[in-house]
Amino acid sequence: KNQVEQSPQSLIILEGKNCTLQCNYTVSPFSNLRWYKQDTGRGPVSLTIMTFSENTKSNGRYTATLDADTKQSSLHITASQLSDSASYICVVSGSGGSYIPTFGRGTSLIVHP
Amino acid sequence: EPEVTQTPSHQVTQMGQEVILRCVPISNHLYFYWYRQILGQKVEFLVSFYNNEISEKSEIFDDQFSVERPDGSNFTLKIRSTKLEDSAMYFCASHEEGPRGTQYFGPGTRLLVL
């Protein structure tokens, strides 16, 4: 069964600090991995999309990495801001006829002033 | 900036009633999706739609669910006979390119079944 596991479940950091969120998956065959930011009560917003051949992708202060061999990804947030407080969701889609995405439960990030 | 819109933002209904959730995807997008998120749980895929037909659907998307693109702009999700466990936030999403394109989510419809 395809699974996406994220850690930590929640994280509290001070404004200006960096942090790294982890995602492990068992989806196979693999098509792409996406990171989303979801504010409370809102729809997810796409941060990055990576395919099998991509090891890293940046979007402003967000940098995602992918190791397709170990089936791991990370999302690094640099110089955190109060507005970064949200849930960060890892989503993995398969290939080979089915692109149904598997969502992780998300990491809840709180940035304190 | 173009965005996906959804109506209503909130809906309360009685168990057994039919509900229709509406979405207006971004105008040049070709791929459409419905997801749901039960309170406190992860987002779950319901169905994908392309070229006026369902591309894929999950186990959740049983016979009481249906989707339709009644005109060139709207994309609807119908739940024929709602159950208590259908209470959730329902998100519509769309994108322009193939399955690897950036998906844009709407703000969601919060459905409460009493």
Side-chain angles (χ1 to χ4, degrees):
Chain A
K1 181 180 179 182
N2 290 334
Q3 289 188 321
V4 175
E5 299 291 338
Q6 292 188 243
S7 62
Q9 183 175 346
S10 62
L11 182 62
I12 301 174
I13 62 173
L14 292 175
E15 186 179 12
K17 297 297 186 182
N18 304 334
C19 64
T20 300
L21 315 179
Q22 302 290 341
C23 173
N24 297 336
Y25 61 92
T26 61
V27 177
S28 181
F30 172 84
S31 174
N32 63 81
L33 185 146
R34 304 164 187 252
W35 282 95
Y36 287 90
K37 177 187 179 186
Q38 185 179 25
D39 293 312
T40 302
R42 307 290 299 272
V45 174
S46 181
L47 296 175
T48 62
I49 303 170
M50 287 184 292
T51 58
F52 184 87
S53 59
E54 296 174 298
N55 299 119
T56 184
K57 183 162 285 189
S58 292
N59 178 2
R61 294 181 296 103
Y62 301 103
T63 299
T65 65
L66 173 64
D67 185 335
D69 291 330
T70 62
K71 294 184 170 57
Q72 295 180 326
S73 176
S74 66
L75 180 69
H76 186 75
I77 304 174
T78 303
S80 60
Q81 300 175 358
L82 299 179
S83 58
D84 291 333
S85 295
S87 180
Y88 290 84
I89 303 172
C90 176
V91 184
V92 182
S93 294
S95 61
S98 173
Y99 292 99
I100 291 180
T102 302
F103 285 71
R105 291 190 175 276
T107 292
S108 177
L109 174 66
I110 297 175
V111 180
H112 275 310
Chain B
E1 182 176 332
E3 58 183 15
V4 176
T5 59
Q6 291 185 242
T7 55
S9 59
H10 296 77
Q11 176 135 13
V12 180
T13 189
Q14 295 290 326
M15 188 171 54
Q17 295 296 305
E18 174 184 287
V19 296
I20 298 176
L21 310 183
R22 292 182 167 80
C23 168
V24 179
I26 295 172
S27 61
N28 61 334
H29 286 187
L30 303 175
Y31 297 81
F32 313 116
Y33 303 81
W34 282 102
Y35 299 89
R36 79 173 186 189
Q37 186 173 30
I38 295 171
L39 187 63
Q41 298 188 23
K42 63 180 180 179
V43 176
E44 299 172 290
F45 169 86
L46 291 177
V47 65
S48 58
F49 192 87
Y50 170 71
N51 200 25
N52 284 321
E53 61 182 26
I54 291 175
S55 305
E56 294 192 90
K57 59 184 180 180
S58 70
E59 295 175 348
I60 303 169
F61 194 88
D62 60 23
D63 291 344
Q64 72 164 348
F65 289 92
S66 63
V67 290
E68 193 176 37
R69 190 156 162 82
D71 52 44
S73 59
N74 290 284
F75 179 51
T76 63
L77 174 69
K78 180 191 290 186
I79 310 175
R80 289 189 183 81
S81 178
T82 51
K83 298 178 283 193
L84 297 177
E85 54 264 38
D86 293 328
S87 295
M89 184 77 117
Y90 288 81
F91 293 108
C92 172
S94 70
H95 65 85
E96 182 180 10
E97 306 117 13
R100 299 175 184 177
T102 298
Q103 289 196 19
Y104 295 85
F105 282 74
T109 292
R110 185 170 296 283
L111 175 66
L112 178 61
V113 182
L114 302 176

